[in-house]
Amino acid sequence: MSKQPQYTIKDIATEMGVSVSTVSRALSDHPHISEETKGRVRELAEKYDYRHNALAASLRNSRSNTIGLILPRLSQYFPSTVATAIQNKLHEYGYNLMICQSNDSPALEKELVNVLYASRVEGLIVSSTLYTSDFSHFDIFAKSKIPLVFYDRFPKNYEAHKVQGDDYTGGYQNTLHLLQQGCRRIAHISGPLTCNIYEDRYNGYLDALKKYEVPLNEGIVFFHELTRENALKTCEVIFSGSSLPDAIFACNDTTAIAVLEYARKHHIRIPQDVMLTGYSNDPRSEITEPAVTSVEQFPYEVGDQAATLMMNLLRHKIKQEDNYVSITTPVELIRRASSGTAETKVVPDDKAVSPGRQIKAVS
Amino acid sequence: MSKQPQYTIKDIATEMGVSVSTVSRALSDHPHISEETKGRVRELAEKYDYRHNALAASLRNSRSNTIGLILPRLSQYFPSTVATAIQNKLHEYGYNLMICQSNDSPALEKELVNVLYASRVEGLIVSSTLYTSDFSHFDIFAKSKIPLVFYDRFPKNYEAHKVQGDDYTGGYQNTLHLLQQGCRRIAHISGPLTCNIYEDRYNGYLDALKKYEVPLNEGIVFFHELTRENALKTCEVIFSGSSLPDAIFACNDTTAIAVLEYARKHHIRIPQDVMLTGYSNDPRSEITEPAVTSVEQFPYEVGDQAATLMMNLLRHKIKQEDNYVSITTPVELIRRASSGTAETKVVPDDKAVSPGRQIKAVS
DNA sequence: CAACAGCATGCAAACGTTTGCATACATAAA
DNA sequence: TTTATGTATGCAAACGTTTGCATGCTGTTG
């Protein structure tokens, strides 16, 4: 672009012999401009292929019409679906989205926050990195009263609006299901507890055990980043022990699938020898043999809610001064062969967003 | 933001009793500004938490530092990985990325082109929809001499810079592999030929058949959008016919996996009864039972190349006036159990980008 | 006929930067 | 002493919009 001269409303104005204000108003369909003038302006704009300069307008209005999105990475099922949902919803409202990946690096996250602020985004949606502990780089948004919405992963001790899947219930139902299937030695492979989602799932796990009066066996609970490699190592530990678990609850599907891989190689039968459940209902989980029981998180719903909340904040339907909004989206256990069940979808009681944690009573 | 007053370089200037130009230059580390002044400016900027306004700078410079990306959808393995690569590479060069999804709708694509133009992006990277036939909405970019790079899906008859996987070779090697495995009745499930990638894969398929002197059997070649549902329907047709194929070459992995699903339900053994190959090497393809032979497209490489090409265009390392650049990235056949082979990765002859179609000689 | 309303338009400032061209001073070379 | 050279800074225009506040006109009402 740079040196390429632009055709501006000023050019239209001089060509027509009117002022720039008139042209500007004509283009935005202002009621005080005569239909005739509007017609001629549109004609000329068409003729010379005039293009609105959003940059100039943004500067003048202090409104960029752009929302920022920062997430750890895009190239996985859950995050990319959330991003899709957010983008689609924002587009409905005439907003653009600027997506940035932090690659799970807190330093990069911080840089991106500043870049997006410099671009004067009107709002920021964030799923923070696994390792962000200092959230002060977000302060500038609060200070400038720019809406800030977190989803999925977010700070535990930082006041902000939040949208989250119901991880507690997900962990609870997942564990309960295994208990109902008769399992009593349920291993748990979790991410680091510093991250809210893993903490919640773990608490669900603990409470389900409690309900069945099964004591916690700390020897079969693991916390580490949930990659395939780590999962395989953990399998070594689990299956070299003296007393084997009768089930494994993995906190993501990558891990569950790695367990499946390990089991196949070592002739451990799933679900006959060990039952298995995952989390997230990644598309991969339903095509393995056996298919993996998992927890659907409705990523599209999460994204939709986050974007809607952002729009409400921008339109002052929710006052910033009010308390911070916390939306919990429902989850749903998808039972599959890996936990010894035929696939059955449980229709949730309530399709709507639950206002908080709702633990379904189990009969 | 809107009414929130901003702290600007003007404020710094008056507070210091110098001119705004001095402050501006100090902040950009201009050599004519004394170290002392620079120091005091930085101090004040720090103290009042001054934030650069990229909007204003962009307007003044006619440089937005932003690149646009339009793609059909984000929520799949290939596109999200490409987007990740593009974003990471651009970030290295100090550029921001604005990602927009067309949801495979030509109308939305057109709108997004205009929106991104209005935001004065400095370049545009595009993978067009399956149905875009009129590409005139991209003309404005050529006319304004703003770099435009297509990747993956692009217009056949529209002059532009392009980055593409080597679909011809992918189709050729895929088919050749099945022929080498002894198959002679190879069904082909392709996307619409209006799209360049499917056309190339189909041509590869045809040429491989020709090499083995196998006549084309049009009764087992199918063209439709490559969804699971369509694939299942096509399976009905294929397997209700009198003479069954001995192999199926599906043009994406979603289709291949659907074939697998159909086969399992109907007790057709893969690879014993029918061999199967897919395309794209989606993460799902390696975890099915049997794992599906597929073609790795190195999406990260594709994104990286597209972003690098864009940077070169922007820095005039490649003159716009030169002929259009066309980069072909290599592909690699990944042999798996679905085509009767243990997994073996063929090390490609040349890791570098091939300048054009390279058909590996087959011994 | 004066006063007013309503309509269509224009003026000019503002948004926050950047930068080419002065200017002012000090020092060095002729 | 004059002229050149360099250093640190300031002036003011420009980027392309939008918008509050006039202004001038036509037609209506009292």
Side-chain angles (χ1 to χ4, degrees), chain A residues 177-242:
Chain A
H177 168 61
L178 291 170
L179 289 163
Q180 287 167 341
Q181 293 291 96
C183 303
R184 287 299 177 272
R185 295 183 45 78
I186 303 174
H188 184 59
I189 309 179
S190 166
L193 286 190
T194 48
C195 187
N196 60 301
I197 59 178
Y198 300 121
E199 189 190 26
D200 290 351
R201 291 173 199 175
Y202 181 56
N203 284 332
Y205 166 77
L206 292 180
D207 283 1
L209 290 183
K210 209 170 283 169
K211 185 176 166 83
Y212 268 66
E213 295 176 353
V214 175
L216 173 66
N217 179 345
E218 295 197 9
I220 51 174
V221 177
F222 304 86
F223 302 98
H224 53 65
E225 216 178 319
L226 297 177
T227 62
R228 171 172 169 274
E229 291 68 30
N230 286 345
L232 293 176
K233 275 183 217 152
T234 295
C235 282
E236 291 286 354
V237 177
I238 290 178
F239 291 105
S240 66
S242 51

Coordinates of all heavy atoms in Angstrom, one line a residue, chain A residues 177-242:
Chain A
H177 N -19.4 -42.5 36.8 CA -19.7 -43.4 35.7 C -18.8 -44.7 35.9 O -19.3 -45.8 35.9 CB -19.5 -42.8 34.4 CG -19.5 -43.8 33.2 ND1 -20.6 -44.6 32.9 CD2 -18.5 -44.1 32.3 CE1 -20.2 -45.4 31.9 NE2 -19.0 -45.1 31.5
L178 N -17.5 -44.5 36.2 CA -16.6 -45.6 36.4 C -17.0 -46.4 37.6 O -16.9 -47.6 37.7 CB -15.2 -45.1 36.4 CG -14.6 -44.6 35.1 CD1 -13.3 -43.9 35.3 CD2 -14.5 -45.7 34.1
L179 N -17.4 -45.6 38.7 CA -17.8 -46.3 39.9 C -19.0 -47.1 39.7 O -19.1 -48.3 40.1 CB -18.1 -45.2 41.0 CG -16.8 -44.5 41.5 CD1 -17.2 -43.2 42.2 CD2 -16.0 -45.4 42.5
Q180 N -20.0 -46.6 38.9 CA -21.2 -47.3 38.6 C -20.9 -48.6 37.8 O -21.6 -49.5 37.9 CB -22.2 -46.4 37.9 CG -22.8 -45.4 38.8 CD -23.5 -44.3 38.0 OE1 -23.3 -44.1 36.8 NE2 -24.4 -43.6 38.7
Q181 N -19.8 -48.5 37.0 CA -19.4 -49.7 36.2 C -18.7 -50.7 37.1 O -18.2 -51.7 36.6 CB -18.5 -49.2 35.1 CG -19.2 -48.4 34.0 CD -20.2 -49.2 33.2 OE1 -21.4 -49.2 33.5 NE2 -19.7 -49.9 32.2
G182 N -18.6 -50.4 38.4 CA -18.0 -51.3 39.3 C -16.5 -51.1 39.6 O -15.9 -51.8 40.4
C183 N -15.9 -50.1 39.1 CA -14.5 -49.8 39.3 C -14.3 -49.2 40.7 O -15.2 -48.4 41.2 CB -14.0 -48.8 38.3 SG -14.2 -49.4 36.6
R184 N -13.2 -49.6 41.3 CA -13.0 -49.0 42.7 C -11.5 -48.5 42.8 O -11.2 -47.8 43.7 CB -13.2 -50.1 43.8 CG -14.7 -50.4 44.0 CD -15.5 -49.2 44.5 NE -16.9 -49.4 44.6 CZ -17.8 -49.3 43.7 NH1 -17.4 -48.9 42.5 NH2 -19.1 -49.6 43.9
R185 N -10.7 -48.9 41.9 CA -9.3 -48.4 41.9 C -9.1 -47.6 40.6 O -8.6 -48.1 39.6 CB -8.3 -49.6 41.9 CG -8.4 -50.4 43.2 CD -7.3 -51.5 43.2 NE -6.0 -51.0 42.8 CZ -5.2 -50.3 43.5 NH1 -5.5 -50.0 44.8 NH2 -4.0 -49.9 43.1
I186 N -9.5 -46.3 40.7 CA -9.6 -45.5 39.5 C -8.4 -44.5 39.5 O -8.3 -43.6 40.3 CB -10.9 -44.7 39.5 CG1 -12.1 -45.6 39.5 CG2 -10.9 -43.8 38.3 CD1 -13.4 -44.9 39.7
A187 N -7.5 -44.8 38.5 CA -6.3 -43.9 38.4 C -6.8 -42.6 37.8 O -7.8 -42.5 37.0 CB -5.3 -44.5 37.5
H188 N -6.1 -41.5 38.1 CA -6.4 -40.2 37.6 C -5.2 -39.5 37.0 O -4.2 -39.4 37.7 CB -7.0 -39.3 38.7 CG -7.5 -38.0 38.3 ND1 -8.5 -37.8 37.3 CD2 -7.2 -36.7 38.6 CE1 -8.7 -36.5 37.1 NE2 -7.9 -35.9 37.9
I189 N -5.2 -39.2 35.7 CA -4.1 -38.5 35.1 C -4.5 -37.1 34.8 O -5.3 -36.9 33.9 CB -3.6 -39.2 33.8 CG1 -3.4 -40.7 34.1 CG2 -2.3 -38.6 33.3 CD1 -2.9 -41.5 32.8
S190 N -3.9 -36.2 35.5 CA -4.4 -34.8 35.5 C -3.3 -33.9 35.0 O -2.1 -34.2 35.0 CB -4.8 -34.4 36.9 OG -5.0 -33.0 37.0
G191 N -3.7 -32.7 34.6 CA -2.7 -31.6 34.3 C -2.3 -31.0 35.6 O -2.9 -31.3 36.7
P192 N -1.4 -30.0 35.5 CA -1.0 -29.3 36.8 C -2.2 -28.6 37.5 O -3.0 -28.0 36.8 CB 0.0 -28.3 36.3 CG -0.1 -28.2 34.8 CD -0.7 -29.5 34.4
L193 N -2.2 -28.8 38.8 CA -3.3 -28.2 39.5 C -3.3 -26.7 39.6 O -4.3 -26.1 40.1 CB -3.3 -28.8 41.0 CG -3.8 -30.2 41.1 CD1 -4.0 -30.6 42.5 CD2 -5.1 -30.4 40.3
T194 N -2.2 -26.1 39.2 CA -2.2 -24.6 39.1 C -3.2 -24.1 38.1 O -3.6 -23.0 38.1 CB -0.8 -24.2 38.7 OG1 -0.4 -24.9 37.5 CG2 0.2 -24.3 39.8
C195 N -3.7 -25.0 37.2 CA -4.6 -24.6 36.2 C -6.0 -24.9 36.7 O -6.3 -26.1 37.1 CB -4.3 -25.2 34.9 SG -5.3 -24.6 33.5
N196 N -6.9 -23.9 36.6 CA -8.2 -24.1 37.2 C -9.0 -25.3 36.6 O -9.7 -26.0 37.4 CB -9.1 -22.8 36.9 CG -9.2 -22.6 35.4 OD1 -8.2 -22.4 34.7 ND2 -10.4 -22.5 34.9
I197 N -8.9 -25.6 35.3 CA -9.7 -26.7 34.8 C -9.3 -28.0 35.4 O -10.2 -28.8 35.7 CB -9.6 -26.7 33.3 CG1 -8.2 -26.9 32.7 CG2 -10.2 -25.4 32.7 CD1 -8.2 -27.0 31.2
Y198 N -8.0 -28.2 35.6 CA -7.6 -29.5 36.1 C -7.9 -29.6 37.6 O -8.3 -30.7 38.1 CB -6.1 -29.7 35.9 CG -5.8 -29.7 34.4 CD1 -4.9 -28.8 33.9 CD2 -6.4 -30.6 33.6 CE1 -4.6 -28.8 32.6 CE2 -6.2 -30.6 32.2 CZ -5.2 -29.7 31.7 OH -5.0 -29.7 30.4
E199 N -7.9 -28.5 38.3 CA -8.2 -28.5 39.7 C -9.7 -28.9 39.9 O -10.1 -29.7 40.7 CB -8.0 -27.1 40.3 CG -8.1 -27.1 41.8 CD -8.1 -25.6 42.3 OE1 -8.5 -24.7 41.5 OE2 -7.8 -25.4 43.5
D200 N -10.6 -28.3 39.0 CA -12.0 -28.6 39.1 C -12.3 -30.0 38.8 O -13.1 -30.7 39.5 CB -12.8 -27.7 38.2 CG -12.8 -26.2 38.6 OD1 -12.3 -26.0 39.8 OD2 -13.3 -25.3 37.9
R201 N -11.7 -30.5 37.8 CA -11.9 -31.9 37.4 C -11.5 -32.9 38.6 O -12.1 -33.8 38.9 CB -11.2 -32.3 36.1 CG -11.8 -31.6 34.9 CD -11.0 -31.8 33.6 NE -11.3 -30.8 32.7 CZ -10.8 -30.6 31.5 NH1 -9.8 -31.4 31.1 NH2 -11.1 -29.6 30.7
Y202 N -10.4 -32.5 39.1 CA -9.8 -33.3 40.2 C -10.8 -33.3 41.4 O -11.0 -34.3 42.0 CB -8.4 -32.8 40.6 CG -7.8 -33.5 41.7 CD1 -7.5 -34.9 41.6 CD2 -7.3 -32.8 42.8 CE1 -6.9 -35.6 42.6 CE2 -6.6 -33.5 43.9 CZ -6.4 -34.9 43.8 OH -5.8 -35.6 44.8
N203 N -11.3 -32.1 41.7 CA -12.3 -32.0 42.8 C -13.5 -32.9 42.5 O -14.0 -33.5 43.4 CB -12.6 -30.6 43.1 CG -11.5 -29.8 43.8 OD1 -10.8 -30.4 44.5 ND2 -11.5 -28.5 43.5
G204 N -13.9 -32.9 41.3 CA -15.1 -33.7 40.9 C -14.7 -35.2 41.2 O -15.5 -36.0 41.7
Y205 N -13.5 -35.5 40.8 CA -13.1 -36.9 41.0 C -13.1 -37.3 42.5 O -13.6 -38.3 42.9 CB -11.6 -37.0 40.4 CG -10.8 -38.2 40.8 CD1 -11.0 -39.4 40.1 CD2 -9.7 -38.1 41.7 CE1 -10.2 -40.5 40.4 CE2 -8.9 -39.1 42.0 CZ -9.1 -40.4 41.4 OH -8.3 -41.4 41.7
L206 N -12.5 -36.4 43.3 CA -12.5 -36.6 44.7 C -13.9 -36.8 45.3 O -14.1 -37.7 46.1 CB -11.8 -35.5 45.4 CG -10.3 -35.3 45.1 CD1 -9.7 -34.2 45.9 CD2 -9.5 -36.6 45.5
D207 N -14.8 -35.9 44.9 CA -16.1 -35.9 45.5 C -16.9 -37.2 45.1 O -17.7 -37.7 45.9 CB -16.9 -34.7 45.1 CG -16.5 -33.5 46.0 OD1 -15.6 -33.7 46.8 OD2 -17.0 -32.4 45.8
A208 N -16.7 -37.6 43.9 CA -17.3 -38.9 43.4 C -16.8 -40.1 44.2 O -17.6 -40.9 44.7 CB -17.1 -39.1 41.9
L209 N -15.5 -40.1 44.4 CA -15.0 -41.2 45.2 C -15.6 -41.2 46.6 O -16.0 -42.2 47.2 CB -13.4 -41.0 45.4 CG -12.6 -41.3 44.1 CD1 -11.1 -41.1 44.5 CD2 -12.9 -42.6 43.5
K210 N -15.7 -40.0 47.2 CA -16.2 -39.8 48.5 C -17.6 -40.3 48.6 O -18.0 -41.0 49.5 CB -16.2 -38.3 48.9 CG -16.1 -38.0 50.4 CD -15.8 -36.6 50.6 CE -14.3 -36.2 50.4 NZ -14.1 -34.7 50.3
K211 N -18.4 -40.0 47.6 CA -19.8 -40.4 47.5 C -19.9 -42.0 47.6 O -20.8 -42.5 48.2 CB -20.5 -39.9 46.3 CG -22.0 -40.3 46.2 CD -22.6 -39.7 45.0 CE -24.0 -40.2 44.8 NZ -25.0 -39.6 45.6
Y212 N -19.0 -42.6 47.0 CA -19.0 -44.1 47.0 C -18.1 -44.6 48.1 O -17.8 -45.8 48.2 CB -18.5 -44.6 45.6 CG -19.6 -44.9 44.7 CD1 -20.4 -43.8 44.2 CD2 -20.0 -46.2 44.3 CE1 -21.5 -44.1 43.4 CE2 -21.0 -46.4 43.5 CZ -21.8 -45.4 43.0 OH -22.8 -45.6 42.1
E213 N -17.6 -43.7 48.9 CA -16.8 -44.1 50.1 C -15.6 -44.9 49.7 O -15.2 -45.8 50.4 CB -17.7 -44.8 51.1 CG -18.7 -43.9 51.7 CD -19.7 -44.7 52.7 OE1 -19.5 -45.9 52.8 OE2 -20.5 -44.0 53.3
V214 N -15.0 -44.5 48.6 CA -13.7 -45.1 48.1 C -12.6 -44.2 48.6 O -12.6 -43.0 48.2 CB -13.7 -45.2 46.6 CG1 -12.4 -45.8 46.1 CG2 -14.8 -46.2 46.1
P215 N -11.7 -44.7 49.4 CA -10.6 -43.8 49.8 C -9.7 -43.4 48.7 O -9.5 -44.2 47.7 CB -9.9 -44.7 50.8 CG -10.2 -46.1 50.5 CD -11.6 -46.0 49.9
L216 N -9.1 -42.3 48.7 CA -8.2 -41.8 47.7 C -6.9 -42.6 47.8 O -6.3 -42.7 48.8 CB -7.9 -40.3 47.9 CG -6.8 -39.7 46.9 CD1 -7.3 -39.8 45.5 CD2 -6.5 -38.3 47.3
N217 N -6.5 -43.1 46.6 CA -5.2 -43.8 46.5 C -4.2 -42.9 45.8 O -4.2 -42.8 44.6 CB -5.4 -45.1 45.8 CG -4.0 -45.9 45.7 OD1 -3.0 -45.3 45.9 ND2 -4.1 -47.1 45.3
E218 N -3.4 -42.2 46.5 CA -2.5 -41.2 45.9 C -1.5 -41.8 45.0 O -0.9 -41.1 44.2 CB -1.8 -40.4 47.0 CG -2.8 -39.6 47.8 CD -2.2 -38.4 48.6 OE1 -1.0 -38.2 48.4 OE2 -2.9 -37.8 49.4
G219 N -1.3 -43.1 45.1 CA -0.3 -43.7 44.3 C -0.7 -43.8 42.8 O 0.1 -44.1 41.9
I220 N -2.0 -43.6 42.5 CA -2.4 -43.7 41.2 C -3.0 -42.4 40.7 O -3.9 -42.4 39.8 CB -3.4 -44.9 41.0 CG1 -4.5 -44.8 42.0 CG2 -2.7 -46.2 41.1 CD1 -5.6 -45.9 41.7
V221 N -2.5 -41.3 41.3 CA -3.0 -40.0 40.8 C -1.7 -39.3 40.3 O -0.7 -39.3 41.0 CB -3.6 -39.2 41.9 CG1 -4.0 -37.8 41.4 CG2 -4.9 -39.9 42.4
F222 N -1.8 -38.7 39.1 CA -0.6 -38.1 38.5 C -0.9 -36.7 38.0 O -2.0 -36.5 37.5 CB -0.2 -39.0 37.3 CG 0.1 -40.4 37.7 CD1 -1.0 -41.3 37.7 CD2 1.4 -40.8 38.0 CE1 -0.7 -42.6 38.1 CE2 1.6 -42.1 38.4 CZ 0.6 -43.0 38.4
F223 N 0.1 -35.8 38.1 CA -0.1 -34.5 37.6 C 1.1 -34.1 36.7 O 2.2 -34.1 37.1 CB -0.2 -33.5 38.8 CG -1.3 -33.8 39.7 CD1 -1.0 -34.5 40.9 CD2 -2.6 -33.4 39.5 CE1 -2.0 -34.8 41.8 CE2 -3.6 -33.7 40.4 CZ -3.3 -34.4 41.5
H224 N 0.8 -33.8 35.5 CA 1.8 -33.4 34.5 C 1.2 -32.9 33.3 O 0.0 -33.1 33.1 CB 2.8 -34.5 34.2 CG 2.2 -35.8 33.7 ND1 1.5 -35.8 32.6 CD2 2.1 -37.0 34.3 CE1 1.0 -37.1 32.4 NE2 1.3 -37.8 33.5
E225 N 1.9 -32.2 32.4 CA 1.4 -31.7 31.2 C 0.9 -32.9 30.4 O 1.5 -34.0 30.3 CB 2.5 -31.0 30.4 CG 1.9 -29.8 29.6 CD 3.0 -29.0 28.9 OE1 4.1 -28.9 29.5 OE2 2.7 -28.7 27.7
L226 N -0.3 -32.7 29.8 CA -1.0 -33.9 29.2 C -0.6 -34.2 27.7 O -1.4 -34.0 26.8 CB -2.5 -33.7 29.4 CG -2.9 -33.6 30.8 CD1 -4.4 -33.4 30.9 CD2 -2.5 -34.9 31.6
T227 N 0.6 -34.6 27.5 CA 1.1 -34.9 26.2 C 1.1 -36.5 26.1 O 1.1 -37.2 27.0 CB 2.5 -34.4 25.9 OG1 3.4 -35.0 26.9 CG2 2.5 -32.9 26.1
R228 N 1.2 -36.9 24.8 CA 1.3 -38.3 24.6 C 2.5 -38.9 25.3 O 2.4 -40.0 25.9 CB 1.4 -38.6 23.0 CG 1.7 -40.0 22.6 CD 1.6 -40.2 21.1 NE 2.1 -41.5 20.7 CZ 3.4 -41.7 20.5 NH1 4.3 -40.7 20.6 NH2 3.8 -42.9 20.1
E229 N 3.7 -38.3 25.2 CA 4.9 -38.8 25.7 C 4.8 -39.0 27.2 O 5.1 -40.0 27.8 CB 6.1 -37.9 25.4 CG 6.5 -37.8 23.9 CD 5.4 -37.2 23.0 OE1 4.7 -36.3 23.5 OE2 5.3 -37.6 21.9
N230 N 4.3 -37.9 27.9 CA 4.1 -38.0 29.3 C 3.1 -39.2 29.7 O 3.3 -39.9 30.7 CB 3.6 -36.7 29.9 CG 4.6 -35.6 29.9 OD1 5.8 -35.9 29.8 ND2 4.2 -34.4 30.1
A231 N 2.1 -39.3 28.9 CA 1.1 -40.3 29.2 C 1.7 -41.7 29.1 O 1.5 -42.6 30.0 CB -0.1 -40.2 28.2
L232 N 2.6 -41.9 28.1 CA 3.2 -43.2 28.0 C 4.1 -43.5 29.2 O 4.1 -44.7 29.7 CB 4.0 -43.3 26.7 CG 3.1 -43.2 25.4 CD1 4.0 -43.2 24.1 CD2 2.2 -44.4 25.3
K233 N 4.8 -42.5 29.6 CA 5.7 -42.7 30.8 C 4.8 -43.1 32.0 O 5.2 -44.0 32.8 CB 6.4 -41.4 31.1 CG 7.7 -41.3 30.3 CD 8.5 -40.0 30.7 CE 9.2 -39.4 29.5 NZ 9.3 -37.9 29.6
T234 N 3.7 -42.3 32.2 CA 2.9 -42.6 33.3 C 2.3 -44.0 33.3 O 2.2 -44.7 34.3 CB 1.7 -41.6 33.4 OG1 2.3 -40.3 33.6 CG2 0.7 -41.9 34.5
C235 N 2.0 -44.5 32.1 CA 1.5 -45.9 31.9 C 2.6 -46.9 32.4 O 2.2 -47.8 33.1 CB 1.2 -46.2 30.4 SG -0.4 -45.4 29.9
E236 N 3.8 -46.6 32.1 CA 4.9 -47.5 32.6 C 4.8 -47.6 34.1 O 4.8 -48.7 34.7 CB 6.3 -46.9 32.3 CG 6.6 -46.9 30.8 CD 7.0 -48.3 30.3 OE1 7.1 -49.2 31.1 OE2 7.2 -48.4 29.1
V237 N 4.6 -46.4 34.8 CA 4.5 -46.4 36.2 C 3.3 -47.2 36.7 O 3.3 -48.1 37.6 CB 4.4 -45.0 36.7 CG1 4.3 -45.0 38.3 CG2 5.7 -44.2 36.3
I238 N 2.2 -46.9 36.1 CA 0.9 -47.5 36.5 C 1.0 -49.0 36.4 O 0.6 -49.7 37.3 CB -0.3 -47.0 35.7 CG1 -0.5 -45.5 36.0 CG2 -1.5 -47.8 35.9 CD1 -1.7 -44.9 35.2
F239 N 1.4 -49.5 35.2 CA 1.3 -50.9 34.9 C 2.5 -51.7 35.4 O 2.5 -52.9 35.3 CB 1.1 -51.1 33.4 CG -0.3 -50.7 33.0 CD1 -0.5 -49.5 32.3 CD2 -1.4 -51.4 33.4 CE1 -1.7 -49.1 31.9 CE2 -2.7 -50.9 33.0 CZ -2.8 -49.8 32.3
S240 N 3.5 -51.0 36.0 CA 4.6 -51.8 36.6 C 4.3 -52.0 38.1 O 5.0 -52.7 38.7 CB 5.9 -51.1 36.3 OG 5.9 -49.9 37.0
G241 N 3.4 -51.3 38.6 CA 3.0 -51.4 40.0 C 2.5 -52.8 40.3 O 2.1 -53.6 39.4
S242 N 2.4 -53.1 41.6 CA 2.0 -54.4 42.0 C 0.5 -54.6 41.8 O 0.0 -55.5 41.2 CB 2.4 -54.6 43.5 OG 1.9 -53.5 44.3

